[in-house]
Amino acid sequence: MSMFDLSERAEKYRGQLLEFMDSHIYPAEAVYDEQMRAAGDPHFQPPILEELKAEAQRRGLWNLFHPYPEWGPGLTNLEYAPLAEIMGRSHLAPEACNCNAPDTGNMEVLTLFGTDEHKEKYLKPLLAGTIRSAFAMTEPAVASSDATNIELSMVRDGDEYVLNGRKWFASNALHPHCKVLIVMGKTDPEAAPHRQQSMMVVPIDAPGITVLRGLPVFGYQDREGHAEIDFDNVRVPVKDVLKGEGEGFAISQARLGPGRIHHCMRAIGMAERALELMCRRASSRITFGKPVAANANIQDWIAEARIDIEMIRLLTLKAAYLMDTVGNKEARTEIAAIKVAAPNIALKIVDRAIQVHGGAGVTDDFPLAMAWAHLRTLRLADGPDEVHKRTIARQELRRYRDEKAGN
């Protein structure tokens, strides 16, 4: 038996999820497009999504990501991996099953560090899928790939903190159901670099918060939005600090590990769908008297895609296995490695699928153009490739530095 064999319960969920994708998710994609066009609002919540959410709940395909049994099925990272991959095949599936970023990470943060009041007011509705949330960490004025640069000020004033500054790429903040932000800022500029930051729970309608705009990504206004938000003397009660002052950086690391690997799992699903579309198109289109699939270079692309997908899937499963067995900190090299490899490889496969589709590939008649934009963005989200490569290189070099010190 392989360490990556699916458990009985994971196999059960996998079967149910595949059936749900075929019977409900894929057919809903055209309906979703039609409802979004009719609404004329890029941040509209189409009725079809609420119908899918209700159906997923009815089937028990809900909160599959949550590792705590009281809130979900309590699957391990290794058990969840193939399910996240399946959901990654369609942009509708993660929200339909309440397994979408950034809510998943925010729900885990509230589970681990939220007060009873936070859990009652925000966590329970998030778990029920009735509200949404956003994570406000990245800032336009600083290189946020180094989180110690964060500048939004959080100044203590009696029983409150006063927040001033600007955030952007707060994904989900333009979703009509978004009610709460988890905000990272600087509470003590004089503390050690990793103790200067804190995280707070802030209602999105708090006085002084202005959502300035949704940032387009490669020309797309994603439905959940990537918001630029201004904080002007926003007052937050001390009770809404998560875990305690100075714990912001530690919380961000706890949050981003699972978030990064979830992104990678979904990217593999996207790559699988792109490969499937590439094969169908190459088999059905005739050029110069023969199917496109008969060309040696197209066959190379198809073969390389299969090889690459299998490699990134195995690396993802290894990272998930290590997270389950030795913890996120010990798995940091594998998490960093997959966060670089999965989006890059999926991006290459989607790019080739676009090429095989010709002009149609860059339109919205197929999901490839949107997938390309999403995957290219993913090379920056949750840390750019270069930061993860730096993490891996430092780990590799450390053993030689230790070796030299031993001599």
Side-chain angles (χ1 to χ4, degrees):
M1 179 176 169
S2 161
M3 71 172 72
F4 298 149
D5 281 350
L6 275 185
S7 69
E8 195 176 315
R9 63 178 179 169
E11 189 63 71
K12 181 192 78 169
Y13 280 117
R14 183 176 178 276
Q16 291 173 347
L17 193 54
L18 285 168
E19 199 279 322
F20 180 54
M21 296 290 290
D22 288 338
S23 62
H24 286 79
I25 296 291
Y26 299 132
E29 288 177 344
V31 180
Y32 169 91
D33 289 342
E34 192 179 301
Q35 290 181 353
M36 291 300 294
R37 272 194 301 272
D41 173 4
H43 309 299
F44 176 68
Q45 181 72 352
I48 188 65
L49 251 175
E50 294 303 318
E51 292 168 28
L52 290 172
K53 283 164 64 177
E55 182 62 23
Q57 270 188 293
R58 190 184 69 76
R59 292 167 174 250
L61 297 171
W62 194 254
N63 293 335
L64 298 171
F65 76 95
H66 211 298
Y68 295 90
E70 63 268 35
W71 304 115
L75 300 175
T76 64
N77 286 295
L78 190 58
E79 289 175 313
Y80 180 60
L83 309 182
E85 179 185 322
I86 292 166
M87 287 185 275
R89 292 171 63 92
S90 172
H91 61 289
L92 301 184
E95 184 170 352
C97 296
N98 215 38
C99 291
N100 46 302
D103 287 326
T104 51
N106 290 343
M107 284 188 258
E108 289 199 45
V109 166
L110 291 169
T111 301
L112 292 170
F113 308 114
T115 63
D116 288 344
E117 184 185 341
H118 294 146
K119 288 173 182 171
E120 196 61 39
K121 192 172 180 182
Y122 298 118
L123 178 59
K124 285 185 179 177
L126 280 167
L127 288 160
T130 55
I131 69 167
R132 301 294 303 272
S133 64
F135 186 58
M137 185 168 100
T138 307
E139 297 181 2
V142 299
S144 303
S145 56
D146 174 2
T148 62
N149 285 336
I150 297 303
E151 286 182 344
L152 180 134
S153 68
M154 296 173 155
V155 178
R156 180 80 181 250
D157 180 26
D159 290 336
E160 295 178 316
Y161 284 89
V162 181
L163 277 54
N164 281 286
R166 187 163 292 191
K167 297 288 184 181
W168 73 344
F169 284 101
S171 300
N172 232 20
L174 287 155
H175 193 293
H177 297 171
C178 185
K179 300 296 181 195
V180 64
L181 308 172
I182 293 180
V183 183
M184 183 163 167
K186 192 161 282 192
T187 40
D188 185 0
E190 306 304 315
H194 294 90
R195 296 285 306 167
Q196 295 179 3
Q197 306 82 16
S198 299
M199 276 196 199
M200 300 182 187
V201 177
V202 186
I204 198 167
D205 59 357
I209 288 181
T210 306
V211 177
L212 299 170
R213 60 172 175 152
L215 293 151
V217 176
F218 289 105
Y220 286 98
Q221 274 285 354
D222 288 336
R223 188 172 49 83
E224 71 278 9
H226 305 290
E228 183 171 1
I229 305 176
D230 189 61
F231 292 77
D232 181 17
N233 290 318
V234 178
R235 303 190 78 87
V236 179
V238 170
K239 65 182 175 60
D240 287 333
V241 177
L242 288 166
K243 198 179 179 187
E245 189 175 301
E247 297 288 348
F249 192 86
I251 295 171
S252 72
Q253 295 311 296
R255 182 193 187 283
L256 290 172
R260 284 172 182 145
I261 197 167
H262 292 173
H263 277 312
C264 296
M265 294 163 180
R266 288 189 289 266
I268 296 167
M270 206 176 279
E272 280 282 12
R273 190 168 185 195
L275 174 56
E276 180 184 305
L277 288 167
M278 177 161 48
C279 289
R280 288 185 192 282
R281 186 77 169 188
S283 299
S284 64
R285 303 294 274 197
I286 307 297
T287 59
F288 309 108
K290 62 181 181 181
V292 171
N295 293 292
N297 69 314
I298 303 299
Q299 291 184 14
D300 275 355
W301 288 359
I302 291 166
E304 287 168 13
R306 171 52 59 211
I307 293 164
D308 286 344
I309 288 171
E310 296 304 325
M311 288 195 297
I312 55 173
R313 181 181 288 122
L314 281 170
L315 182 53
T316 304
L317 291 173
K318 183 190 177 188
Y321 171 76
L322 289 173
M323 288 168 75
D324 291 336
T325 53
V326 294
N328 297 1
K329 190 175 179 183
E330 292 301 316
R332 63 186 176 276
T333 295
E334 286 76 12
I335 294 171
I338 195 57
K339 181 57 177 66
V340 174
N344 274 281
I345 286 172
L347 192 63
K348 181 174 77 172
I349 294 168
V350 168
D351 188 76
R352 287 175 166 179
I354 288 171
Q355 197 70 10
V356 169
H357 280 72
V362 297
T363 71
D364 286 342
D365 286 5
F366 293 89
L368 296 166
M370 186 170 67
W372 191 96
H374 173 78
L375 286 163
R376 183 61 187 84
T377 309
L378 192 53
R379 289 187 54 205
L380 294 162
D382 285 356
D385 291 355
E386 291 70 24
V387 169
H388 299 301
K389 288 178 182 178
R390 178 175 178 265
T391 298
I392 297 164
R394 290 173 77 179
Q395 282 293 106
E396 290 296 312
L397 289 166
R398 179 170 289 133
R399 70 182 73 171
Y400 299 101
R401 191 173 68 239
D402 294 346
E403 192 179 277
K404 189 177 176 185
N407 292 336

